C-alpha cells in the first residue's frame, strides 16, 4: 500500500521523504487554509520534493470552471493530480481530464455507488473518507472493501485511496481491506514505527551493550 502525506505543510513532507515514507501528497482547501500559505506556491514546492502524485483540489462548483482551474493547476508540475469533488459536475470534469491524459483524484466519496461513477468517469484515484464515516458511527472500512471489490470485478484502473485516515488502526485496516493507497497525516505515518516494546527492548540492549565496554568501530 502506498502512503500519501495528507498535508500542506512542506517541512513535514520533506521529513517524510527523508525517511523514504513518501509516495505522494494530498491537499484540500482546509489543509491549504491551515498552512496559511499561497496555494499554488505550496503545490509547486511540494511537487519539487517528490516525483509522486500531488493532489491539488479545484474550488469551483461547475464543470467549465473546474476544468479551467484544473488546467491551470496541472501546468504547475507534471506530477499534479487534479482533485475534483464527487458531484455530477465533478464527474464531468473528471471525464475531460481523463481524455486529456491528466490524472484525477475524485474526492468526498461516501458510497460505493459514488465510487462506481468515478471509476466509470476514468478517475485515477477515488477517495472514500473513512474517518468522516466513522465519525457518524458508520463503517468506513467496509466502504473501502466494497469499492475495492467493484474495481477488481470490473477491472477498473481506478485506485482506491483511503482518505480521512486518522489513526494507526485506520492504516492497518485500510491495508487489510486492500486500499491501493492511504493518505495519512505525517504524524500518524511516523507513529507507525513506534511500539512501547521496541522502546523498552532498545533501552535494555543499549544498557547491556554499554556494560560490555565494547565498541563496534
Ligand atoms: C484527503 O484527500 C482528504 O481531504 C482528507 O483525508 C480528509 O481528512 P479529514 O476528514 O480528517 O479532514
Amino acid at each position: 500500500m502506498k502512503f500519501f502525506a495528507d498535508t500542506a505543510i512542506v517541512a513535514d513532507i520533506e521529513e517524510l521523504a527523508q525517511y523514504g515514507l513518501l509516495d505522494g501528497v494530498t491537499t484540500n482547501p482546509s489543509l491549504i487554509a491551515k498552512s496559511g500559505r499561497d496555494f499554488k506556491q505550496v503545490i509547486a514546492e511540494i511537487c519539487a520534493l517528490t516525483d509522486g502524485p500531488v493532489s491539488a483540489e479545484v474550488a469551483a462548483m461547475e464543470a467549465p470552471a473546474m476544468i479551467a482551474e484544473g488546467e491551470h493547476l496541472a501546468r504547475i508540475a507534471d506530477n499534479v493530480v487534479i482533485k475534483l469533488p464527487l458531484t455530477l459536475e465533478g464527474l464531468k470534469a473528471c471525464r475531460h481530464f481523463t481524455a486529456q491524459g491528466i490524472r484525477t483524484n475524485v474526492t468526498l466519496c461516501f458510497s460505493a455507488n459514488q465510487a462506481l461513477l468515478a471509476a466509470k468517469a476514468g478517475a485515477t484515484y477515488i477517495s472514500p473518507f473513512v474517518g468522516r464515516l466513522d465519525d457518524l458511527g458508520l463503517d468506513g472500512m467496509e466502504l473501502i472493501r466494497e469499492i475495492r471489490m467493484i474495481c477488481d470485478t470490473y477491472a477498473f484502473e481506478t485506485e482506491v485511496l483511503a482518505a480521512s485516515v486518522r489513526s494507526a488502526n485506520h492504516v492497518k485496516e485500510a491495508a487489510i481491506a486492500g486500499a491501493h493507497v492511504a493518505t495519512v497525516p505525517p504524524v500518524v505515518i511516523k507513529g507507525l514505527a513506534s511500539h512501547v516494546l521496541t522502546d523498552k527492548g532498545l533501552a535494555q540492549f543499549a544498557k547491556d551493550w554499554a556494560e560490555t565496554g565494547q565498541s563496534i568501530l
Side-chain angles (χ1 to χ4, degrees):
M1 185 173 72
K2 286 171 278 190
F3 284 159
F4 289 176
D6 197 18
T7 185
I9 305 297
V10 174
D12 291 349
I13 294 166
E14 208 162 14
E15 186 187 5
L16 282 180
Q18 285 166 9
Y19 292 128
L21 292 173
L22 184 72
D23 298 312
V25 177
T26 56
T27 63
N28 65 32
S30 304
L31 292 171
I32 294 294
K34 198 169 153 192
S35 78
R37 298 197 52 212
D38 178 77
F39 179 29
K40 289 177 276 180
Q41 178 63 32
V42 167
I43 295 297
E45 288 178 25
I46 295 172
C47 288
L49 289 174
T50 177
D51 292 333
V54 175
S55 289
E57 188 160 344
V58 299
M61 299 292 172
E62 307 297 328
M66 287 179 188
I67 290 168
E69 289 181 354
E71 286 178 345
H72 188 72
L73 293 169
R75 282 195 285 274
I76 294 176
D78 289 344
N79 54 334
V80 168
V81 171
I82 305 305
K83 204 171 177 194
L84 301 158
L86 213 159
T87 59
L88 289 172
E89 292 295 303
L91 293 171
K92 201 192 283 183
C94 180
R95 283 183 193 282
H96 168 88
F97 288 118
T98 301
Q100 303 284 313
I102 294 173
R103 291 179 293 174
T104 54
N105 174 359
V106 178
T107 189
L108 289 167
C109 172
F110 294 95
S111 80
N113 280 333
Q114 286 183 312
L116 177 58
L117 295 185
K120 285 170 70 67
T124 314
Y125 301 101
I126 178 67
S127 287
F129 276 38
V130 170
R132 293 192 195 187
L133 284 168
D134 286 1
D135 289 345
L136 297 179
L138 300 170
D139 186 352
M141 281 314 154
E142 179 58 19
L143 180 58
I144 301 288
R145 282 188 285 274
E146 288 174 353
I147 298 173
R148 180 65 211 246
M149 194 182 298
I150 289 168
C151 287
D152 288 353
T153 300
Y154 295 99
F156 286 121
E157 288 179 12
T158 303
E159 293 195 19
V160 182
L161 196 174
S164 190
V165 165
R166 300 177 186 156
S167 66
N169 197 49
H170 271 159
V171 175
K172 180 186 78 174
E173 292 294 329
I176 292 170
H180 298 93
V181 191
T183 189
V184 187
V187 67
V188 176
I189 296 179
K190 287 191 289 174
L192 299 177
S194 298
H195 197 287
V196 65
L197 292 179
T198 304
D199 296 343
K200 191 177 167 199
L202 193 56
Q204 184 66 50
F205 287 159
K207 181 170 172 289
D208 293 346
W209 177 248
E211 282 171 13
T212 71
Q214 300 181 49
S215 68
I216 294 173
L217 297 177

